[in-house]
Amino acid sequence: MATAELVLGLLSAGPAHGYDVKRGHDSWFPDGRPLAFGQVYTTLGRLERDELVEVVEKTSGGGPDRTVYALTDKGRKHLADWLVDPVPPAWGSADEVLRKLVAAVRTGGDAAVFLARQRASHLRRIRELQETPTGPDPTSTIVRDYIVAHLDADLRWLDSALDRISEQETS
């Protein structure tokens, strides 16, 4: 995941604290894994080192230090370049599923049981996503549709893999 570029995108609306960056990320991707605070501050540190963001304010009013970050011109250019650059097709999250399946087949594990459980897990996640209302922000629906479409494609692949394994067992 391009965490650095997402942080730049979140800062494009204006200067913000690390807490605001984290909250913004989590609202952009409500169905995804929340961004860890440690990851936010590590990313902001790297972006500052690379001169893509700068500290515009530091306060310590009795609590923890509050640092406000803003995009630099170099950061705006980096974000603009990233937004137009296409993403190469990649293995994605199916990589672990594929590795487990191959390991099950090669080690004599019960690949059919693994596939059935994985299929049930995918179906549960699709149901959860379909039953949970999205927010008024149109990007919530776009993100949700993307996740469901990928899970659906994974389901088709899981069924195909089960068919192939079943064919090999019967021959």
Side-chain angles (χ1 to χ4, degrees):
M1 181 170 89
T3 303
E5 287 76 13
L6 285 174
V7 168
L8 293 175
L10 288 157
L11 289 172
S12 70
H17 298 97
Y19 175 81
D20 296 325
V21 169
K22 185 235 186 306
R23 193 176 62 213
H25 172 276
D26 295 352
S27 73
W28 279 11
F29 303 98
D31 297 316
R33 179 178 298 143
L35 190 59
F37 281 108
Q39 190 174 8
V40 170
Y41 293 108
T42 300
T43 301
L44 285 166
R46 279 194 316 268
L47 292 171
E48 183 182 12
R49 178 199 67 205
D50 296 341
E51 300 176 345
L52 300 174
V53 301
E54 62 187 349
V55 174
V56 293
E57 181 183 339
K58 242 184 184 166
T59 59
S60 58
D65 288 349
R66 306 261 335 210
T67 304
V68 178
Y69 296 88
L71 280 180
T72 62
D73 288 340
K74 183 177 176 183
R76 285 190 192 287
K77 180 176 181 343
H78 182 88
L79 175 62
D81 291 346
W82 178 72
L83 289 172
V84 299
D85 192 25
V87 177
W91 285 58
S93 63
D95 186 32
E96 185 174 355
V97 173
L98 180 59
R99 289 174 190 267
K100 282 187 174 188
L101 176 58
V102 169
V105 170
R106 300 265 181 190
T107 63
D110 195 335
V113 168
F114 167 72
L115 288 168
R117 287 184 177 157
Q118 189 64 52
R119 189 175 197 292
S121 176
H122 274 58
L123 287 170
R124 261 192 315 277
R125 183 64 177 139
I126 288 172
R127 274 194 299 278
E128 288 170 4
L129 291 167
Q130 290 173 335
E131 291 170 359
T132 306
T134 58
D137 177 6
T139 60
S140 296
T141 304
I142 292 168
V143 170
R144 175 84 46 92
D145 291 347
Y146 179 85
I147 294 168
V148 169
H150 278 262
L151 289 168
D152 186 56
D154 286 350
L155 282 172
R156 289 191 306 274
W157 176 82
L158 289 165
D159 289 342
S160 171
L162 183 58
D163 288 347
R164 288 183 188 274
I165 287 169
S166 298
E167 289 171 6
Q168 289 178 352
E169 288 175 354
T170 59
S171 56

